[in-house]
């Protein structure tokens, strides 16, 4: 669904001014979704706890390629790397030359699952008045797709 009356802006959240804009927006919105490692957002002062301080009902979604722990947590966020590390490339193309999917399937599945988790958390927050943090990482979705 697209909000026809909505407006959009570009924010450089790595600057102090941009971070202040994000905090002001977070105080008035229901959900925030980020596609960066959580510790990076915390260093910027835009982690869940920082934004929860201005909006206790906030739903904070984190979408990363390989999760928040483990040896791959800092691996770059490229769809081809996700497909290779999760074994999906072995299922496409030829054994001597794997073939990449033509569209970012990992992002699509992980985004759907994050959205579902955030919507469930939103419904709970409407009743309880308390927000939460939701995680989704591509690797889990790819593993499920491969099976």
């Amino acid at each position: 669904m697209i909000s026809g009356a909505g407006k959009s802006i570009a924010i450089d959240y790595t600057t102090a001014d941009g971070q202040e804009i994000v905090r002001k927006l977070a105080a008035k919105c229901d959900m925030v979704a980020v596609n960066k490692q959580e510790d990076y957002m915390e260093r910027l002062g835009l982690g869940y706890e920082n934004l929860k301080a201005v909006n206790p009902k906030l739903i904070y979604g984190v979408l990363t390629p390989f999760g928040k722990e483990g040896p791959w947590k800092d691996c770059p966020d490229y769809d081809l790397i996700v497909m290779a590390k999760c074994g999906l490339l072995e299922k496409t193309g030829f054994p001597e030359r794997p073939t990449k999917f033509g569209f970012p399937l990992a992002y699509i599945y992980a985004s759907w699952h994050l959205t579902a988790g955030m919507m469930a958390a939103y419904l709970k927050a409407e009743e309880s008045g308390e927000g939460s943090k939701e995680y989704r990482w591509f690797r889990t979705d790819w593993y499920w797709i491969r099976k």
Side-chain angles (χ1 to χ4, degrees):
M1 179 170 14
I2 297 175
S3 172
K7 297 181 180 184
S8 60
I9 61 173
I11 303 170
D12 181 356
Y13 57 84
T14 62
T15 67
D17 289 341
Q19 293 162 7
E20 186 57 31
I21 292 169
V22 171
R23 282 188 206 88
K24 286 179 181 178
L25 289 171
K28 299 177 182 183
C29 70
D30 297 313
M31 298 181 197
V32 171
V34 298
N35 189 18
K36 295 285 183 190
Q37 288 293 344
E38 192 174 5
D39 57 348
Y40 175 74
M41 298 306 288
E42 288 171 1
R43 285 194 305 272
L44 294 175
L46 301 175
Y48 173 65
E49 294 299 327
N50 304 105
L51 298 184
K52 181 182 170 186
V54 298
N55 182 353
K57 243 176 114 172
L58 184 71
I59 307 302
Y60 189 90
V62 181
L63 185 63
T64 62
F66 298 105
K68 60 183 180 170
E69 299 173 345
W72 296 351
K73 79 175 187 71
D74 295 321
C75 208
D77 183 6
Y78 300 110
D79 201 53
L80 186 59
I81 291 173
V82 174
M83 285 192 286
K85 289 219 179 258
C86 297
L88 191 62
L89 282 184
E90 79 174 345
K91 304 290 186 192
T92 64
F94 305 96
E96 66 281 353
R97 188 178 178 133
T99 306
K100 180 185 182 302
F101 272 63
F103 58 97
L105 193 59
Y107 290 92
I108 292 168
Y109 275 100
S111 298
W112 285 344
H113 293 158
L114 179 65
T115 301
M118 290 178 73
M119 289 303 298
Y122 172 76
L123 293 174
K124 183 177 177 185
E126 284 296 297
E127 290 180 6
S128 70
E130 275 189 51
S132 65
K133 181 171 30 176
E134 302 298 317
Y135 292 100
R136 189 81 236 147
W137 44 93
F138 306 162
R139 181 173 179 261
T140 307
D141 294 327
W142 272 119
Y143 184 76
W144 178 80
I145 293 166
R146 268 184 51 198
K147 291 292 177 185

